[in-house]
């Protein structure tokens, strides 16, 4: 799902369409996420690192697809609340709406 969201966001950006995105600035309970990854023998750095987390989740999805949804839900809950932001393309609002 994260990959699909990324592809969709890049597509909308390429087509110069505005988009609504959910953003988690810094995971609320990163220390606990590190502990969860350690249970799977995957070391995460002490400071939040989205690429390291993505590598961990990708590996676990491949290694154990049956249990991955539970792990994914655990990580999502530990990430904390996100906020929704509107991302506008670099075009003027009138161009987006078709105004002249």
């Amino acid at each position: 799902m994260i990959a699909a969201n990324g592809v969709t966001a890049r597509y909308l950006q390429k087509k110069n369409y505005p988009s609504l995105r959910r953003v988690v600035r810094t995971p609320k309970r990163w220390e606990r996420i590190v502990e969860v990854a350690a249970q799977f023998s995957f070391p995460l750095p002490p400071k939040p690192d989205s690429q390291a987390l993505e590598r961990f989740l990708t590996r676990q999805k491949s290694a154990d697809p049956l249990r991955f949804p539970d792990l994914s839900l655990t990580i999502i809950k530990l990430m904390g609340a996100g906020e929704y932001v509107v991302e506008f393309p670099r075009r003027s609002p009138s161009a987006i709406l078709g105004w002249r």
Side-chain angles (χ1 to χ4, degrees), residues 32-98:
R32 182 67 183 116
I33 293 172
V34 170
E35 291 172 11
V36 169
Q39 292 173 2
F40 294 92
S41 301
F42 193 99
L44 287 175
K47 297 210 183 244
D49 182 332
S50 62
Q51 291 179 347
L53 180 58
E54 182 177 355
R55 285 191 299 273
F56 165 61
L57 292 172
T58 300
R59 186 186 87 167
Q60 288 310 120
K61 184 175 184 179
S62 227
D64 193 353
L66 186 62
R67 292 191 188 101
F68 180 75
D70 293 331
L71 173 63
S72 179
L73 181 60
T74 297
I75 298 298
I76 288 170
K77 287 181 177 182
L78 291 171
M79 294 285 289
E83 59 186 74
Y84 290 88
V85 296
V86 177
E87 183 175 277
F88 291 99
R90 292 196 170 105
R91 292 169 41 194
S92 69
S94 60
I96 294 167
L97 297 173

